[in-house]
PDB file of all heavy atoms in Angstrom:
ATOM      1  N   ASN A 370     -28.243 -52.655 -53.934  1.00  0.00           N
ATOM      2  CA  ASN A 370     -27.948 -54.082 -54.069  1.00  0.00           C
ATOM      3  C   ASN A 370     -28.499 -54.568 -55.403  1.00  0.00           C
ATOM      4  O   ASN A 370     -29.507 -54.062 -55.892  1.00  0.00           O
ATOM      5  CB  ASN A 370     -28.593 -54.859 -52.916  1.00  0.00           C
ATOM      6  CG  ASN A 370     -28.060 -54.401 -51.578  1.00  0.00           C
ATOM      7  OD1 ASN A 370     -26.896 -54.591 -51.268  1.00  0.00           O
ATOM      8  ND2 ASN A 370     -28.917 -53.758 -50.790  1.00  0.00           N
ATOM      9  N   THR A 371     -27.835 -55.574 -55.976  1.00  0.00           N
ATOM     10  CA  THR A 371     -28.231 -56.102 -57.278  1.00  0.00           C
ATOM     11  C   THR A 371     -28.352 -57.610 -57.218  1.00  0.00           C
ATOM     12  O   THR A 371     -27.442 -58.289 -56.721  1.00  0.00           O
ATOM     13  CB  THR A 371     -27.192 -55.720 -58.350  1.00  0.00           C
ATOM     14  OG1 THR A 371     -27.068 -54.294 -58.390  1.00  0.00           O
ATOM     15  CG2 THR A 371     -27.603 -56.228 -59.726  1.00  0.00           C
ATOM     16  N   PHE A 372     -29.462 -58.131 -57.753  1.00  0.00           N
ATOM     17  CA  PHE A 372     -29.659 -59.581 -57.860  1.00  0.00           C
ATOM     18  C   PHE A 372     -29.842 -59.951 -59.325  1.00  0.00           C
ATOM     19  O   PHE A 372     -30.774 -59.483 -59.981  1.00  0.00           O
ATOM     20  CB  PHE A 372     -30.873 -60.041 -57.056  1.00  0.00           C
ATOM     21  CG  PHE A 372     -31.131 -61.512 -57.186  1.00  0.00           C
ATOM     22  CD1 PHE A 372     -30.263 -62.428 -56.617  1.00  0.00           C
ATOM     23  CD2 PHE A 372     -32.221 -61.986 -57.889  1.00  0.00           C
ATOM     24  CE1 PHE A 372     -30.483 -63.794 -56.742  1.00  0.00           C
ATOM     25  CE2 PHE A 372     -32.456 -63.349 -58.019  1.00  0.00           C
ATOM     26  CZ  PHE A 372     -31.577 -64.253 -57.449  1.00  0.00           C
ATOM     27  N   LEU A 373     -28.941 -60.794 -59.846  1.00  0.00           N
ATOM     28  CA  LEU A 373     -28.982 -61.223 -61.237  1.00  0.00           C
ATOM     29  C   LEU A 373     -29.079 -62.739 -61.361  1.00  0.00           C
ATOM     30  O   LEU A 373     -28.901 -63.279 -62.452  1.00  0.00           O
ATOM     31  CB  LEU A 373     -27.725 -60.731 -61.976  1.00  0.00           C
ATOM     32  CG  LEU A 373     -27.508 -59.216 -61.980  1.00  0.00           C
ATOM     33  CD1 LEU A 373     -26.166 -58.868 -62.618  1.00  0.00           C
ATOM     34  CD2 LEU A 373     -28.647 -58.505 -62.680  1.00  0.00           C
ATOM     35  N   GLY A 374     -29.336 -63.426 -60.266  1.00  0.00           N
ATOM     36  CA  GLY A 374     -29.399 -64.886 -60.271  1.00  0.00           C
ATOM     37  C   GLY A 374     -30.802 -65.410 -60.501  1.00  0.00           C
ATOM     38  O   GLY A 374     -31.657 -64.730 -61.079  1.00  0.00           O
ATOM     39  N   LYS A 375     -31.042 -66.603 -60.018  1.00  0.00           N
ATOM     40  CA  LYS A 375     -32.346 -67.263 -60.130  1.00  0.00           C
ATOM     41  C   LYS A 375     -32.841 -67.626 -58.732  1.00  0.00           C
ATOM     42  O   LYS A 375     -32.060 -68.043 -57.876  1.00  0.00           O
ATOM     43  CB  LYS A 375     -32.251 -68.548 -60.954  1.00  0.00           C
ATOM     44  CG  LYS A 375     -31.718 -68.357 -62.352  1.00  0.00           C
ATOM     45  CD  LYS A 375     -32.785 -67.855 -63.268  1.00  0.00           C
ATOM     46  CE  LYS A 375     -32.229 -67.795 -64.684  1.00  0.00           C
ATOM     47  NZ  LYS A 375     -32.984 -66.941 -65.539  1.00  0.00           N
ATOM     48  N   ILE A 376     -34.180 -67.489 -58.527  1.00  0.00           N
ATOM     49  CA  ILE A 376     -34.812 -67.861 -57.266  1.00  0.00           C
ATOM     50  C   ILE A 376     -35.805 -68.974 -57.555  1.00  0.00           C
ATOM     51  O   ILE A 376     -36.534 -68.914 -58.546  1.00  0.00           O
ATOM     52  CB  ILE A 376     -35.572 -66.673 -56.647  1.00  0.00           C
ATOM     53  CG1 ILE A 376     -34.629 -65.540 -56.321  1.00  0.00           C
ATOM     54  CG2 ILE A 376     -36.324 -67.100 -55.394  1.00  0.00           C
ATOM     55  CD1 ILE A 376     -35.320 -64.300 -55.817  1.00  0.00           C
ATOM     56  N   ARG A 377     -35.852 -69.949 -56.643  1.00  0.00           N
ATOM     57  CA  ARG A 377     -36.811 -71.038 -56.805  1.00  0.00           C
ATOM     58  C   ARG A 377     -37.388 -71.405 -55.447  1.00  0.00           C
ATOM     59  O   ARG A 377     -36.658 -71.596 -54.480  1.00  0.00           O
ATOM     60  CB  ARG A 377     -36.143 -72.267 -57.410  1.00  0.00           C
ATOM     61  CG  ARG A 377     -37.119 -73.396 -57.722  1.00  0.00           C
ATOM     62  CD  ARG A 377     -36.436 -74.554 -58.432  1.00  0.00           C
ATOM     63  NE  ARG A 377     -35.538 -75.298 -57.565  1.00  0.00           N
ATOM     64  CZ  ARG A 377     -35.935 -76.299 -56.776  1.00  0.00           C
ATOM     65  NH1 ARG A 377     -37.195 -76.666 -56.730  1.00  0.00           N
ATOM     66  NH2 ARG A 377     -35.057 -76.931 -56.028  1.00  0.00           N
ATOM     67  N   ALA A 378     -38.717 -71.489 -55.386  1.00  0.00           N
ATOM     68  CA  ALA A 378     -39.401 -71.937 -54.177  1.00  0.00           C
ATOM     69  C   ALA A 378     -39.791 -73.396 -54.350  1.00  0.00           C
ATOM     70  O   ALA A 378     -40.237 -73.801 -55.420  1.00  0.00           O
ATOM     71  CB  ALA A 378     -40.643 -71.103 -53.929  1.00  0.00           C
ATOM     72  N   THR A 379     -39.621 -74.166 -53.293  1.00  0.00           N
ATOM     73  CA  THR A 379     -39.969 -75.585 -53.346  1.00  0.00           C
ATOM     74  C   THR A 379     -41.422 -75.830 -52.962  1.00  0.00           C
ATOM     75  O   THR A 379     -41.894 -76.957 -53.036  1.00  0.00           O
ATOM     76  CB  THR A 379     -39.052 -76.409 -52.428  1.00  0.00           C
ATOM     77  OG1 THR A 379     -39.162 -75.913 -51.094  1.00  0.00           O
ATOM     78  CG2 THR A 379     -37.608 -76.331 -52.906  1.00  0.00           C
ATOM     79  N   THR A 380     -42.142 -74.773 -52.545  1.00  0.00           N
ATOM     80  CA  THR A 380     -43.566 -74.881 -52.217  1.00  0.00           C
ATOM     81  C   THR A 380     -44.325 -73.787 -52.958  1.00  0.00           C
ATOM     82  O   THR A 380     -43.754 -72.771 -53.329  1.00  0.00           O
ATOM     83  CB  THR A 380     -43.821 -74.705 -50.705  1.00  0.00           C
ATOM     84  OG1 THR A 380     -43.371 -73.410 -50.313  1.00  0.00           O
ATOM     85  CG2 THR A 380     -43.120 -75.767 -49.903  1.00  0.00           C
ATOM     86  N   SER A 381     -45.604 -73.986 -53.133  1.00  0.00           N
ATOM     87  CA  SER A 381     -46.405 -72.941 -53.773  1.00  0.00           C
ATOM     88  C   SER A 381     -46.870 -71.942 -52.715  1.00  0.00           C
ATOM     89  O   SER A 381     -47.000 -72.264 -51.550  1.00  0.00           O
ATOM     90  CB  SER A 381     -47.603 -73.564 -54.483  1.00  0.00           C
ATOM     91  OG  SER A 381     -48.442 -74.201 -53.548  1.00  0.00           O
ATOM     92  N   GLY A 382     -47.110 -70.727 -53.146  1.00  0.00           N
ATOM     93  CA  GLY A 382     -47.602 -69.704 -52.237  1.00  0.00           C
ATOM     94  C   GLY A 382     -46.544 -69.117 -51.332  1.00  0.00           C
ATOM     95  O   GLY A 382     -46.840 -68.443 -50.365  1.00  0.00           O
ATOM     96  N   ALA A 383     -45.299 -69.374 -51.616  1.00  0.00           N
ATOM     97  CA  ALA A 383     -44.205 -68.877 -50.786  1.00  0.00           C
ATOM     98  C   ALA A 383     -43.994 -67.381 -51.010  1.00  0.00           C
ATOM     99  O   ALA A 383     -44.322 -66.840 -52.056  1.00  0.00           O
ATOM    100  CB  ALA A 383     -42.929 -69.637 -51.110  1.00  0.00           C
ATOM    101  N   TYR A 384     -43.440 -66.710 -50.006  1.00  0.00           N
ATOM    102  CA  TYR A 384     -43.031 -65.318 -50.144  1.00  0.00           C
ATOM    103  C   TYR A 384     -41.691 -65.314 -50.866  1.00  0.00           C
ATOM    104  O   TYR A 384     -40.702 -65.845 -50.359  1.00  0.00           O
ATOM    105  CB  TYR A 384     -42.872 -64.652 -48.776  1.00  0.00           C
ATOM    106  CG  TYR A 384     -44.164 -64.450 -48.040  1.00  0.00           C
ATOM    107  CD1 TYR A 384     -44.566 -65.324 -47.043  1.00  0.00           C
ATOM    108  CD2 TYR A 384     -44.988 -63.371 -48.354  1.00  0.00           C
ATOM    109  CE1 TYR A 384     -45.756 -65.125 -46.362  1.00  0.00           C
ATOM    110  CE2 TYR A 384     -46.182 -63.169 -47.676  1.00  0.00           C
ATOM    111  CZ  TYR A 384     -46.555 -64.054 -46.685  1.00  0.00           C
ATOM    112  OH  TYR A 384     -47.727 -63.862 -46.014  1.00  0.00           O
ATOM    113  N   ILE A 385     -41.677 -64.703 -52.039  1.00  0.00           N
ATOM    114  CA  ILE A 385     -40.465 -64.656 -52.854  1.00  0.00           C
ATOM    115  C   ILE A 385     -40.272 -63.228 -53.336  1.00  0.00           C
ATOM    116  O   ILE A 385     -41.221 -62.596 -53.794  1.00  0.00           O
ATOM    117  CB  ILE A 385     -40.574 -65.575 -54.083  1.00  0.00           C
ATOM    118  CG1 ILE A 385     -40.883 -67.009 -53.676  1.00  0.00           C
ATOM    119  CG2 ILE A 385     -39.290 -65.528 -54.905  1.00  0.00           C
ATOM    120  CD1 ILE A 385     -41.224 -67.898 -54.845  1.00  0.00           C
ATOM    121  N   GLY A 386     -39.042 -62.728 -53.264  1.00  0.00           N
ATOM    122  CA  GLY A 386     -38.762 -61.386 -53.766  1.00  0.00           C
ATOM    123  C   GLY A 386     -37.414 -61.312 -54.439  1.00  0.00           C
ATOM    124  O   GLY A 386     -36.462 -61.958 -54.005  1.00  0.00           O
ATOM    125  N   GLY A 387     -37.347 -60.530 -55.497  1.00  0.00           N
ATOM    126  CA  GLY A 387     -36.076 -60.333 -56.186  1.00  0.00           C
ATOM    127  C   GLY A 387     -35.026 -59.699 -55.283  1.00  0.00           C
ATOM    128  O   GLY A 387     -33.841 -59.953 -55.427  1.00  0.00           O
ATOM    129  N   ILE A 388     -35.462 -58.895 -54.320  1.00  0.00           N
ATOM    130  CA  ILE A 388     -34.552 -58.268 -53.362  1.00  0.00           C
ATOM    131  C   ILE A 388     -34.800 -58.811 -51.958  1.00  0.00           C
ATOM    132  O   ILE A 388     -33.925 -59.399 -51.341  1.00  0.00           O
ATOM    133  CB  ILE A 388     -34.701 -56.728 -53.383  1.00  0.00           C
ATOM    134  CG1 ILE A 388     -34.409 -56.174 -54.781  1.00  0.00           C
ATOM    135  CG2 ILE A 388     -33.809 -56.077 -52.337  1.00  0.00           C
ATOM    136  CD1 ILE A 388     -32.990 -56.408 -55.271  1.00  0.00           C
ATOM    137  N   ILE A 389     -36.008 -58.627 -51.418  1.00  0.00           N
ATOM    138  CA  ILE A 389     -36.383 -59.094 -50.079  1.00  0.00           C
ATOM    139  C   ILE A 389     -37.568 -60.040 -50.220  1.00  0.00           C
ATOM    140  O   ILE A 389     -38.576 -59.687 -50.828  1.00  0.00           O
ATOM    141  CB  ILE A 389     -36.759 -57.916 -49.155  1.00  0.00           C
ATOM    142  CG1 ILE A 389     -35.581 -56.952 -48.994  1.00  0.00           C
ATOM    143  CG2 ILE A 389     -37.217 -58.429 -47.791  1.00  0.00           C
ATOM    144  CD1 ILE A 389     -35.945 -55.642 -48.312  1.00  0.00           C
ATOM    145  N   GLY A 390     -37.471 -61.213 -49.626  1.00  0.00           N
ATOM    146  CA  GLY A 390     -38.567 -62.165 -49.698  1.00  0.00           C
ATOM    147  C   GLY A 390     -39.736 -61.799 -48.809  1.00  0.00           C
ATOM    148  O   GLY A 390     -40.892 -61.884 -49.227  1.00  0.00           O
ATOM    149  N   TYR A 391     -39.471 -61.365 -47.576  1.00  0.00           N
ATOM    150  CA  TYR A 391     -40.558 -61.086 -46.636  1.00  0.00           C
ATOM    151  C   TYR A 391     -40.079 -60.128 -45.545  1.00  0.00           C
ATOM    152  O   TYR A 391     -39.000 -60.297 -44.990  1.00  0.00           O
ATOM    153  CB  TYR A 391     -41.018 -62.391 -45.976  1.00  0.00           C
ATOM    154  CG  TYR A 391     -42.104 -62.201 -44.937  1.00  0.00           C
ATOM    155  CD1 TYR A 391     -43.434 -62.118 -45.308  1.00  0.00           C
ATOM    156  CD2 TYR A 391     -41.783 -62.108 -43.585  1.00  0.00           C
ATOM    157  CE1 TYR A 391     -44.435 -61.945 -44.357  1.00  0.00           C
ATOM    158  CE2 TYR A 391     -42.773 -61.932 -42.635  1.00  0.00           C
ATOM    159  CZ  TYR A 391     -44.094 -61.854 -43.018  1.00  0.00           C
ATOM    160  OH  TYR A 391     -45.079 -61.679 -42.084  1.00  0.00           O
ATOM    161  N   TYR A 392     -40.912 -59.123 -45.246  1.00  0.00           N
ATOM    162  CA  TYR A 392     -40.729 -58.255 -44.083  1.00  0.00           C
ATOM    163  C   TYR A 392     -42.023 -58.311 -43.275  1.00  0.00           C
ATOM    164  O   TYR A 392     -43.110 -58.155 -43.842  1.00  0.00           O
ATOM    165  CB  TYR A 392     -40.483 -56.806 -44.506  1.00  0.00           C
ATOM    166  CG  TYR A 392     -39.052 -56.348 -44.470  1.00  0.00           C
ATOM    167  CD1 TYR A 392     -38.001 -57.203 -44.207  1.00  0.00           C
ATOM    168  CD2 TYR A 392     -38.744 -55.016 -44.718  1.00  0.00           C
ATOM    169  CE1 TYR A 392     -36.696 -56.757 -44.184  1.00  0.00           C
ATOM    170  CE2 TYR A 392     -37.439 -54.556 -44.695  1.00  0.00           C
ATOM    171  CZ  TYR A 392     -36.416 -55.426 -44.434  1.00  0.00           C
ATOM    172  OH  TYR A 392     -35.134 -54.992 -44.402  1.00  0.00           O
ATOM    173  N   HIS A 393     -41.913 -58.491 -41.968  1.00  0.00           N
ATOM    174  CA  HIS A 393     -43.085 -58.520 -41.089  1.00  0.00           C
ATOM    175  C   HIS A 393     -43.833 -57.193 -41.133  1.00  0.00           C
ATOM    176  O   HIS A 393     -45.050 -57.159 -41.044  1.00  0.00           O
ATOM    177  CB  HIS A 393     -42.633 -58.867 -39.667  1.00  0.00           C
ATOM    178  CG  HIS A 393     -43.737 -58.967 -38.667  1.00  0.00           C
ATOM    179  ND1 HIS A 393     -44.714 -59.930 -38.733  1.00  0.00           N
ATOM    180  CD2 HIS A 393     -44.021 -58.209 -37.585  1.00  0.00           C
ATOM    181  CE1 HIS A 393     -45.551 -59.775 -37.727  1.00  0.00           C
ATOM    182  NE2 HIS A 393     -45.153 -58.730 -37.015  1.00  0.00           N
ATOM    183  N   SER A 394     -43.093 -56.087 -41.251  1.00  0.00           N
ATOM    184  CA  SER A 394     -43.715 -54.768 -41.351  1.00  0.00           C
ATOM    185  C   SER A 394     -42.710 -53.780 -41.915  1.00  0.00           C
ATOM    186  O   SER A 394     -41.514 -54.040 -41.963  1.00  0.00           O
ATOM    187  CB  SER A 394     -44.198 -54.291 -39.983  1.00  0.00           C
ATOM    188  OG  SER A 394     -43.090 -53.982 -39.164  1.00  0.00           O
ATOM    189  N   LEU A 395     -43.210 -52.633 -42.318  1.00  0.00           N
ATOM    190  CA  LEU A 395     -42.373 -51.509 -42.753  1.00  0.00           C
ATOM    191  C   LEU A 395     -42.790 -50.286 -41.951  1.00  0.00           C
ATOM    192  O   LEU A 395     -43.955 -50.135 -41.595  1.00  0.00           O
ATOM    193  CB  LEU A 395     -42.585 -51.219 -44.240  1.00  0.00           C
ATOM    194  CG  LEU A 395     -42.056 -52.253 -45.219  1.00  0.00           C
ATOM    195  CD1 LEU A 395     -42.528 -51.918 -46.639  1.00  0.00           C
ATOM    196  CD2 LEU A 395     -40.547 -52.322 -45.181  1.00  0.00           C
ATOM    197  N   ASN A 396     -41.823 -49.399 -41.681  1.00  0.00           N
ATOM    198  CA  ASN A 396     -42.175 -48.151 -41.010  1.00  0.00           C
ATOM    199  C   ASN A 396     -41.212 -47.041 -41.408  1.00  0.00           C
ATOM    200  O   ASN A 396     -40.393 -47.220 -42.316  1.00  0.00           O
ATOM    201  CB  ASN A 396     -42.258 -48.320 -39.487  1.00  0.00           C
ATOM    202  CG  ASN A 396     -40.932 -48.630 -38.845  1.00  0.00           C
ATOM    203  OD1 ASN A 396     -39.877 -48.281 -39.355  1.00  0.00           O
ATOM    204  ND2 ASN A 396     -40.959 -49.289 -37.700  1.00  0.00           N
ATOM    205  N   LYS A 397     -41.256 -45.909 -40.719  1.00  0.00           N
ATOM    206  CA  LYS A 397     -40.487 -44.731 -41.121  1.00  0.00           C
ATOM    207  C   LYS A 397     -38.974 -44.942 -41.075  1.00  0.00           C
ATOM    208  O   LYS A 397     -38.237 -44.219 -41.709  1.00  0.00           O
ATOM    209  CB  LYS A 397     -40.862 -43.522 -40.261  1.00  0.00           C
ATOM    210  CG  LYS A 397     -40.367 -43.584 -38.827  1.00  0.00           C
ATOM    211  CD  LYS A 397     -40.718 -42.315 -38.100  1.00  0.00           C
ATOM    212  CE  LYS A 397     -40.089 -42.292 -36.725  1.00  0.00           C
ATOM    213  NZ  LYS A 397     -40.262 -41.017 -36.070  1.00  0.00           N
ATOM    214  N   TRP A 398     -38.478 -45.920 -40.338  1.00  0.00           N
ATOM    215  CA  TRP A 398     -37.042 -46.128 -40.238  1.00  0.00           C
ATOM    216  C   TRP A 398     -36.479 -46.987 -41.371  1.00  0.00           C
ATOM    217  O   TRP A 398     -35.281 -47.064 -41.546  1.00  0.00           O
ATOM    218  CB  TRP A 398     -36.686 -46.766 -38.895  1.00  0.00           C
ATOM    219  CG  TRP A 398     -36.995 -45.871 -37.742  1.00  0.00           C
ATOM    220  CD1 TRP A 398     -37.959 -46.054 -36.799  1.00  0.00           C
ATOM    221  CD2 TRP A 398     -36.357 -44.636 -37.410  1.00  0.00           C
ATOM    222  NE1 TRP A 398     -37.962 -45.012 -35.906  1.00  0.00           N
ATOM    223  CE2 TRP A 398     -36.980 -44.130 -36.251  1.00  0.00           C
ATOM    224  CE3 TRP A 398     -35.318 -43.902 -37.978  1.00  0.00           C
ATOM    225  CZ2 TRP A 398     -36.608 -42.940 -35.667  1.00  0.00           C
ATOM    226  CZ3 TRP A 398     -34.942 -42.704 -37.383  1.00  0.00           C
ATOM    227  CH2 TRP A 398     -35.581 -42.244 -36.241  1.00  0.00           C
ATOM    228  N   ASP A 399     -37.348 -47.635 -42.131  1.00  0.00           N
ATOM    229  CA  ASP A 399     -36.886 -48.454 -43.246  1.00  0.00           C
ATOM    230  C   ASP A 399     -36.395 -47.549 -44.370  1.00  0.00           C
ATOM    231  O   ASP A 399     -37.152 -46.743 -44.901  1.00  0.00           O
ATOM    232  CB  ASP A 399     -38.012 -49.356 -43.754  1.00  0.00           C
ATOM    233  CG  ASP A 399     -38.382 -50.422 -42.751  1.00  0.00           C
ATOM    234  OD1 ASP A 399     -37.541 -51.293 -42.483  1.00  0.00           O
ATOM    235  OD2 ASP A 399     -39.511 -50.382 -42.220  1.00  0.00           O
ATOM    236  N   ASP A 400     -35.128 -47.664 -44.708  1.00  0.00           N
ATOM    237  CA  ASP A 400     -34.504 -46.855 -45.759  1.00  0.00           C
ATOM    238  C   ASP A 400     -34.017 -47.809 -46.848  1.00  0.00           C
ATOM    239  O   ASP A 400     -32.859 -48.245 -46.845  1.00  0.00           O
ATOM    240  CB  ASP A 400     -33.355 -46.044 -45.161  1.00  0.00           C
ATOM    241  CG  ASP A 400     -32.752 -45.062 -46.170  1.00  0.00           C
ATOM    242  OD1 ASP A 400     -33.200 -45.039 -47.330  1.00  0.00           O
ATOM    243  OD2 ASP A 400     -31.807 -44.359 -45.782  1.00  0.00           O
ATOM    244  N   ILE A 401     -34.922 -48.151 -47.753  1.00  0.00           N
ATOM    245  CA  ILE A 401     -34.660 -49.142 -48.794  1.00  0.00           C
ATOM    246  C   ILE A 401     -34.710 -48.415 -50.137  1.00  0.00           C
ATOM    247  O   ILE A 401     -35.765 -47.878 -50.509  1.00  0.00           O
ATOM    248  CB  ILE A 401     -35.724 -50.265 -48.753  1.00  0.00           C
ATOM    249  CG1 ILE A 401     -35.737 -50.920 -47.379  1.00  0.00           C
ATOM    250  CG2 ILE A 401     -35.470 -51.284 -49.851  1.00  0.00           C
ATOM    251  CD1 ILE A 401     -36.935 -51.830 -47.138  1.00  0.00           C
ATOM    252  N   SER A 402     -33.579 -48.381 -50.857  1.00  0.00           N
ATOM    253  CA  SER A 402     -33.594 -47.669 -52.145  1.00  0.00           C
ATOM    254  C   SER A 402     -32.450 -48.131 -53.041  1.00  0.00           C
ATOM    255  O   SER A 402     -31.442 -48.683 -52.581  1.00  0.00           O
ATOM    256  CB  SER A 402     -33.484 -46.166 -51.926  1.00  0.00           C
ATOM    257  OG  SER A 402     -32.223 -45.827 -51.389  1.00  0.00           O
ATOM    258  N   GLY A 403     -32.621 -47.898 -54.335  1.00  0.00           N
ATOM    259  CA  GLY A 403     -31.570 -48.156 -55.315  1.00  0.00           C
ATOM    260  C   GLY A 403     -31.253 -49.620 -55.538  1.00  0.00           C
ATOM    261  O   GLY A 403     -30.168 -49.938 -56.015  1.00  0.00           O
ATOM    262  N   ASN A 404     -32.168 -50.506 -55.204  1.00  0.00           N
ATOM    263  CA  ASN A 404     -31.933 -51.937 -55.391  1.00  0.00           C
ATOM    264  C   ASN A 404     -32.469 -52.367 -56.745  1.00  0.00           C
ATOM    265  O   ASN A 404     -33.436 -51.804 -57.252  1.00  0.00           O
ATOM    266  CB  ASN A 404     -32.617 -52.721 -54.265  1.00  0.00           C
ATOM    267  CG  ASN A 404     -32.052 -52.341 -52.916  1.00  0.00           C
ATOM    268  OD1 ASN A 404     -30.923 -52.648 -52.596  1.00  0.00           O
ATOM    269  ND2 ASN A 404     -32.847 -51.641 -52.122  1.00  0.00           N
ATOM    270  N   TYR A 405     -31.851 -53.403 -57.324  1.00  0.00           N
ATOM    271  CA  TYR A 405     -32.185 -53.824 -58.675  1.00  0.00           C
ATOM    272  C   TYR A 405     -32.181 -55.344 -58.755  1.00  0.00           C
ATOM    273  O   TYR A 405     -31.326 -55.995 -58.169  1.00  0.00           O
ATOM    274  CB  TYR A 405     -31.135 -53.259 -59.649  1.00  0.00           C
ATOM    275  CG  TYR A 405     -31.238 -53.791 -61.041  1.00  0.00           C
ATOM    276  CD1 TYR A 405     -32.122 -53.266 -61.959  1.00  0.00           C
ATOM    277  CD2 TYR A 405     -30.425 -54.863 -61.446  1.00  0.00           C
ATOM    278  CE1 TYR A 405     -32.219 -53.766 -63.247  1.00  0.00           C
ATOM    279  CE2 TYR A 405     -30.518 -55.374 -62.730  1.00  0.00           C
ATOM    280  CZ  TYR A 405     -31.415 -54.818 -63.631  1.00  0.00           C
ATOM    281  OH  TYR A 405     -31.501 -55.322 -64.894  1.00  0.00           O
ATOM    282  N   PHE A 406     -33.154 -55.884 -59.507  1.00  0.00           N
ATOM    283  CA  PHE A 406     -33.110 -57.319 -59.813  1.00  0.00           C
ATOM    284  C   PHE A 406     -33.515 -57.514 -61.258  1.00  0.00           C
ATOM    285  O   PHE A 406     -34.285 -56.744 -61.825  1.00  0.00           O
ATOM    286  CB  PHE A 406     -33.999 -58.151 -58.878  1.00  0.00           C
ATOM    287  CG  PHE A 406     -35.476 -57.896 -58.999  1.00  0.00           C
ATOM    288  CD1 PHE A 406     -36.255 -58.670 -59.838  1.00  0.00           C
ATOM    289  CD2 PHE A 406     -36.074 -56.881 -58.257  1.00  0.00           C
ATOM    290  CE1 PHE A 406     -37.618 -58.433 -59.945  1.00  0.00           C
ATOM    291  CE2 PHE A 406     -37.435 -56.654 -58.352  1.00  0.00           C
ATOM    292  CZ  PHE A 406     -38.210 -57.429 -59.203  1.00  0.00           C
ATOM    293  N   SER A 407     -32.988 -58.551 -61.864  1.00  0.00           N
ATOM    294  CA  SER A 407     -33.292 -58.881 -63.234  1.00  0.00           C
ATOM    295  C   SER A 407     -34.600 -59.640 -63.296  1.00  0.00           C
ATOM    296  O   SER A 407     -34.817 -60.588 -62.527  1.00  0.00           O
ATOM    297  CB  SER A 407     -32.164 -59.735 -63.819  1.00  0.00           C
ATOM    298  OG  SER A 407     -32.538 -60.237 -65.077  1.00  0.00           O
ATOM    299  N   ALA A 408     -35.488 -59.280 -64.205  1.00  0.00           N
ATOM    300  CA  ALA A 408     -36.786 -59.933 -64.336  1.00  0.00           C
ATOM    301  C   ALA A 408     -36.651 -61.382 -64.782  1.00  0.00           C
ATOM    302  O   ALA A 408     -37.515 -62.200 -64.528  1.00  0.00           O
ATOM    303  CB  ALA A 408     -37.665 -59.178 -65.328  1.00  0.00           C
ATOM    304  N   SER A 409     -35.552 -61.728 -65.414  1.00  0.00           N
ATOM    305  CA  SER A 409     -35.394 -63.109 -65.870  1.00  0.00           C
ATOM    306  C   SER A 409     -34.909 -64.007 -64.754  1.00  0.00           C
ATOM    307  O   SER A 409     -34.836 -65.191 -64.898  1.00  0.00           O
ATOM    308  CB  SER A 409     -34.405 -63.163 -67.043  1.00  0.00           C
ATOM    309  OG  SER A 409     -33.115 -62.770 -66.618  1.00  0.00           O
TER     310      SER A 409
END
């Protein structure tokens, strides 16, 4: 997956991610790879 847009939080301290903002947990079944986001 590719993200080339802009993200904005309306509060401070928010969970923000170029690909995923928040996951409660990760484990062996999570298969997350090849994702890209622009730093700008």
